[in-house]
Amino acid sequence: MYAYKDQPDGVFPSVCSLDCPDQCGLLVHKKNGRIVKVEGDPDHPVTKGSICNKVRNIKERLYDEKRLAYPMKRVGKKGEGRFERITWEEALEAITSRWKELIEADGPESILPYSYYGNMGVLNSESMDRRFFYRLGASQLERKICQSAGEAGYRYTMGDSKGTNPEDTVHAKLIIFWGVNAVSTNMHQVILAQKARKNGAKIVVIDVHQNQTGKMADWFIPIKPGTDAALALGIMHILFTEHLVDEDFLREYTVGFEELRDHVVQYDPETVAQITGVSVDDLYTLARLYGTTSPSFIRIGNGLQHHDNGGMCIRTIACLPALTGQWLKRGGGAIKGNAGYLAFNSDALQRPDFLQNKHTRRINMNQIGRALTELKQPVKSMFVYSTNPAVVAPEGNKVRKGLEREDLFLVVHDLFLTETAKYADIVLPASSSYENTDFFTSYWHHFVQIQQPVIGPYGESKSNVDVFRLLAQKMGYEEPEFRETDEEMIDRALDYPENPFMKHIDYTSLTEKQFIRADVKPILPGKLLTPSGKIELYSEKMKQDGYPPLPTYVSIKQDEKLPYVFIPAPNHNFLNSTFSNNEKHVQLEKEARLYMNVEDAKAAGIEDGDQVRVWNSRGECRLTVSVGIGVLPGAVISQGLWADAPGTNQLVNSLTPDRLSDMGGGAVFFSGRVNVVKE
């Protein structure tokens, strides 16, 4: 019934696997066994048939002539990218025999998995791989590169990753996109906002760059990088001073509003304007707009947390809806993420109990460059899948130096010979999500979705799940959990009575319906997962953990005495480094650019269209400059993680620091400093 891959022609349901909050429902058109067209599923209740260019052109990626079709072993120097074909049996034997030697000589912690969410399918991102590396006793990877700082900050205020139902935001009368280029990274939230605007809503965008989202706003407010918490505190100051807060809500549903009221006295408009670059008049206008408009909704962006103060920044903005009682208004409140509603049984899926040594070392993925070059007990082998650290990880030059080590046995499982794979000893071909069985949980909307294979495996490619099953067998692991089918694992993950929102969802129901809405209730009234059960404007837990208990602005670090804060933001046609090596998507994006304020450019003798060298002590890259007023003086913005193409030098993460955020161990991609000079 669900053997879509065996049917050569037709239109079949699918789901987008990209690391994107929208997680669109898709319809895949096949002819003669090949995908010929991908379109949005108009029956999906949230995404409703609209999809982005990235997915619309996915078939060019799936059938790219550069896609890996069989295992290979290295025959040249590391980084040269010279390989010869081998069989899967030879590849598995090479990997496991080397690992057995390393375990005997250096212990299992000499081996490190390195992965992220290049494929958002739950099975292929966090199931059999976790079981395998727990059982192996490998060093544990802290996967902190994206959401961890913001999640920690939001949790201190709200208790869990839960917010407004995005479908309700059409009822909002004020929508603030704060630090999110949603046109490129959350397009369906933009569609909902535009529907709200037709009903009278005003759209405000607060960001360091007037990107596509800023250009579609009714009001764009430019802000200095890393000062967003100060702006939120300045809004609070005015809300309290002008009696625009909902005191009944604050008394019933929050902890610490009196302390917060006294605390924000210091964040007067003049002080905040000097910190943020937002004028006093604009600050008053914004605060009064927020304080007098209901329902009001804030879409809290991902980029804000990629500063030194990222966790506190998100924690601070998350306090704002409580001040005006927005959590009781349909369409009001905020979204940082909604993954808490779709929590599944991760312990049953991942089996952390397989790890015998509970003191196994942990390595933060943001500092993989340090781990590969500085550890006294070095990482001797790394297995990379669903990510591309040579391009994506901070301190890129340090990362690539580590990957060059001849004593590092590197295995990469991917769809393409990525920049990381060129350093590998063994390269394994990965299947795409369209070739796998998997299930998906959005971190924005409230739907769980199923993926049945639409096409057969490309060449000899295999899924992450299949590869780790084979490795477990080759290592001699006899536990039955390493022989579970995909279907059994999905049922195991969804059997989770602790989450009442998903008690009606299992593998059978998903295959019958394709997508199912979680039985979600509004966040309030009800008890939150904070220690008090309320919104914590004052957090005793933060105090115990060594943080200020009240929202506080702390400036980002000036790691070097260079003139510009550098923000390597996402672009429209790539997703991190995914698509950066596919010709169609590169043509759509055109070229790697650096956005610079006209005053800064004039002072530096730089004109629009010039080639510039962007540099700091960590490295350098060369980009084409775009001069204008869309960014404030003192900041420069790039967009997208471009491939390491011949004749270019555009790896922007050569410039980014690998220090960690204030909380959550997150990345601080946006808090580095650079200089810019004309070539």
Side-chain angles (χ1 to χ4, degrees):
M1 182 177 179
Y2 299 106
Y4 304 141
K5 67 179 182 180
D6 298 327
Q7 301 179 43
D9 303 296
V11 181
F12 306 98
S14 185
V15 54
C16 178
S17 68
L18 297 178
D19 187 359
C20 168
D22 297 49
Q23 203 163 91
C24 298
L26 304 177
L27 295 177
V28 174
H29 296 244
K30 284 175 62 180
K31 187 173 182 179
N32 298 324
R34 287 172 62 95
I35 294 175
V36 295
K37 180 182 177 181
V38 177
E39 62 180 352
D41 184 349
D43 293 329
H44 192 284
V46 180
T47 60
K48 296 184 177 180
S50 299
I51 58 173
C52 68
N53 269 340
K54 293 184 278 287
V55 183
R56 187 175 291 109
N57 295 292
I58 196 77
K59 63 184 177 64
E60 279 82 359
R61 175 174 170 82
L62 297 177
Y63 300 116
D64 192 310
E65 64 181 9
K66 300 188 295 294
R67 188 170 168 190
L68 298 173
Y70 45 78
M72 300 185 297
K73 70 175 181 180
R74 177 169 62 93
V75 295
K77 293 182 179 179
K78 286 206 169 191
E80 282 185 346
R82 291 200 295 124
F83 297 88
E84 67 178 18
R85 182 174 183 172
I86 58 175
T87 66
W88 268 100
E89 179 57 33
E90 289 172 322
L92 294 168
E93 176 61 31
I95 296 166
T96 54
S97 62
R98 183 63 174 271
W99 282 354
K100 289 174 182 177
E101 292 172 0
L102 287 173
I103 291 169
E104 180 68 25
D106 300 294
E109 290 175 276
S110 62
I111 302 167
L112 175 70
Y114 195 95
S115 71
Y116 206 63
Y117 290 98
N119 179 344
M120 284 295 291
V122 173
L123 297 191
N124 279 277
S125 61
E126 49 182 293
S127 67
M128 194 64 73
D129 60 320
R130 304 295 206 273
R131 296 180 185 186
F132 177 81
F133 285 113
Y134 281 136
R135 175 67 173 79
L136 185 74
S139 288
Q140 296 297 297
L141 184 71
E142 294 181 336
R143 293 171 172 84
K144 305 280 192 176
I145 204 165
C146 187
Q147 298 278 2
S148 59
E151 285 180 350
Y154 190 86
R155 191 179 301 116
Y156 279 126
T157 301
M158 299 299 298
D160 194 11
S161 182
K162 297 190 182 88
T164 306
N165 182 345
E167 295 174 78
D168 285 343
T169 61
V170 294
H171 301 289
K173 295 303 179 184
L174 172 64
I175 296 176
I176 301 176
F177 289 99
W178 199 325
V180 53
N181 185 5
V183 169
S184 297
T185 64
N186 191 188
M187 63 174 285
H188 293 91
Q189 185 65 75
V190 174
I191 293 172
L192 293 167
Q194 289 171 332
K195 289 181 179 179
R197 179 154 59 183
K198 289 179 181 178
N199 293 323
K202 185 168 184 138
I203 298 175
V204 176
V205 172
I206 302 169
D207 212 321
V208 298
H209 178 213
Q210 192 172 18
N211 46 43
Q212 292 191 56
T213 308
K215 291 174 183 176
M216 72 89 182
D218 297 305
W219 183 20
F220 171 68
I221 303 174
I223 187 172
K224 293 179 182 178
T227 66
D228 303 87
L231 180 60
L233 289 160
I235 293 171
M236 294 179 197
H237 174 102
I238 296 170
L239 292 176
F240 279 114
T241 301
E242 300 195 350
H243 307 290
L244 296 174
V245 299
D246 185 336
E247 293 204 7
D248 290 339
F249 181 93
L250 290 170
R251 288 191 180 94
E252 184 169 357
Y253 294 107
T254 73
V255 171
F257 83 89
E258 297 94 342
E259 293 93 332
L260 180 63
R261 179 177 54 204
D262 295 340
H263 174 68
V264 299
V265 169
Q266 64 188 296
Y267 295 99
D268 59 90
E270 291 75 15
T271 298
V272 169
Q274 186 174 9
I275 294 170
T276 64
V278 178
S279 71
V280 171
D281 287 345
D282 283 351
L283 181 56
Y284 271 109
T285 301
L286 176 61
R288 289 166 179 165
L289 181 66
Y290 188 74
T292 59
T293 308
S294 186
S296 63
F297 165 69
I298 304 174
R299 180 63 171 103
I300 306 173
N302 192 46
L304 303 172
Q305 67 191 315
H306 288 156
H307 281 294
D308 295 306
N309 57 13
M312 182 62 86
C313 172
I314 302 301
R315 183 271 197 277
T316 303
I317 296 172
C319 293
L320 282 171
L323 267 63
T324 59
Q326 292 306 309
W327 290 112
L328 296 181
K329 316 290 185 182
R330 188 180 183 191
I335 296 176
K336 170 61 180 73
N338 270 323
Y341 287 119
L342 303 184
F344 50 84
N345 194 339
S346 59
D347 282 354
L349 194 60
Q350 300 177 12
R351 297 306 302 267
D353 55 302
F354 282 179
L355 183 63
Q356 295 183 1
N357 178 10
K358 304 308 178 185
H359 300 288
T360 296
R361 71 174 173 182
R362 303 180 67 85
I363 294 174
N364 189 304
M365 69 185 308
N366 295 309
Q367 298 182 327
I368 188 60
R370 298 189 194 190
L372 293 176
T373 59
E374 299 175 12
L375 285 180
K376 292 182 179 179
Q377 295 180 317
V379 173
K380 291 292 188 69
S381 179
M382 189 160 70
F383 191 109
V384 176
Y385 54 107
S386 299
T387 190
N388 183 14
V391 172
V392 172
E395 283 266 24
N397 287 335
K398 189 180 291 185
V399 174
R400 291 183 286 276
K401 180 180 178 182
L403 295 174
E404 288 175 351
R405 284 174 36 207
E406 283 294 334
D407 66 333
L408 176 71
F409 180 65
L410 179 64
V411 182
V412 175
H413 183 217
D414 208 298
L415 278 73
F416 294 92
L417 192 66
T418 63
E419 290 82 356
T420 304
K422 289 178 181 178
Y423 294 94
D425 297 279
I426 300 291
V427 175
L428 304 175
S431 57
S432 73
S433 66
Y434 302 91
E435 300 152 43
N436 301 334
T437 298
D438 217 326
F439 80 104
F440 292 78
T441 59
S442 171
Y443 52 90
W444 174 66
H445 63 63
H446 294 159
F447 283 83
V448 183
Q449 303 180 78
I450 190 77
Q451 173 71 64
Q452 300 286 351
V454 178
I455 53 177
Y458 183 88
E460 298 178 16
S461 64
K462 297 183 185 296
S463 69
N464 288 340
V465 178
D466 284 338
V467 167
F468 288 108
R469 283 196 191 101
L470 291 170
L471 286 169
Q473 180 181 351
K474 197 74 175 175
M475 290 294 291
Y477 300 160
E478 297 181 354
E479 291 86 350
E481 287 81 2
F482 293 110
R483 297 189 295 276
E484 283 187 345
T485 65
D486 296 342
E487 295 77 9
E488 288 171 334
M489 285 195 293
I490 293 174
D491 260 336
R492 186 182 290 274
L494 294 175
D495 182 11
Y496 194 44
E498 287 84 349
N499 182 3
F501 305 119
M502 287 174 38
K503 61 185 178 183
H504 58 298
I505 304 175
D506 58 18
Y507 174 75
T508 300
S509 62
L510 278 175
T511 55
E512 291 173 351
K513 298 179 181 179
Q514 185 63 26
F515 43 78
I516 301 177
R517 187 195 306 268
D519 186 18
V520 170
K521 302 295 189 297
I523 194 168
L524 289 174
K527 187 174 182 180
L528 304 184
L529 295 180
T530 56
S532 66
K534 298 183 177 184
I535 298 171
E536 299 206 342
L537 306 176
Y538 179 99
S539 170
E540 189 65 32
K541 180 68 164 59
M542 292 191 76
K543 185 176 181 180
Q544 293 170 2
D545 292 346
Y547 302 109
L550 288 162
T552 302
Y553 168 67
V554 178
S555 63
I556 61 175
K557 298 176 182 177
Q558 185 169 344
D559 54 1
E560 298 185 64
K561 291 184 178 180
L562 295 173
Y564 310 109
V565 179
F566 176 54
I567 312 290
N571 65 18
H572 195 68
N573 292 292
F574 306 164
L575 204 162
N576 297 322
S577 66
T578 301
F579 302 111
S580 66
N581 67 328
N582 299 119
E583 184 177 351
K584 176 70 173 182
H585 295 81
V586 171
Q587 289 175 349
L588 290 168
E589 196 59 39
K590 296 179 181 177
E591 65 178 335
R593 301 185 72 85
L594 183 79
Y595 296 87
M596 189 175 195
N597 182 270
V598 62
E599 294 178 14
D600 288 337
K602 183 178 180 180
I606 294 171
E607 297 182 355
D608 188 68
D610 282 346
Q611 294 294 306
V612 294
R613 182 170 72 96
V614 190
W615 62 271
N616 60 22
S617 64
R618 291 178 283 271
E620 66 177 31
C621 60
R622 286 168 169 79
L623 305 170
T624 301
V625 75
S626 181
V627 175
I629 59 172
V631 57
L632 290 175
V636 290
I637 317 291
S638 69
Q639 289 189 315
L641 298 181
W642 291 75
D644 189 18
T648 68
N649 182 5
Q650 52 196 17
L651 299 182
V652 295
N653 275 323
S654 300
L655 305 167
T656 52
D658 69 352
R659 62 182 181 270
L660 302 180
S661 59
D662 54 349
M663 58 186 74
V668 297
F669 290 113
F670 293 179
S671 284
R673 300 190 73 88
V674 298
N675 204 347
V676 181
V677 295
K678 183 177 178 178
E679 283 283 75

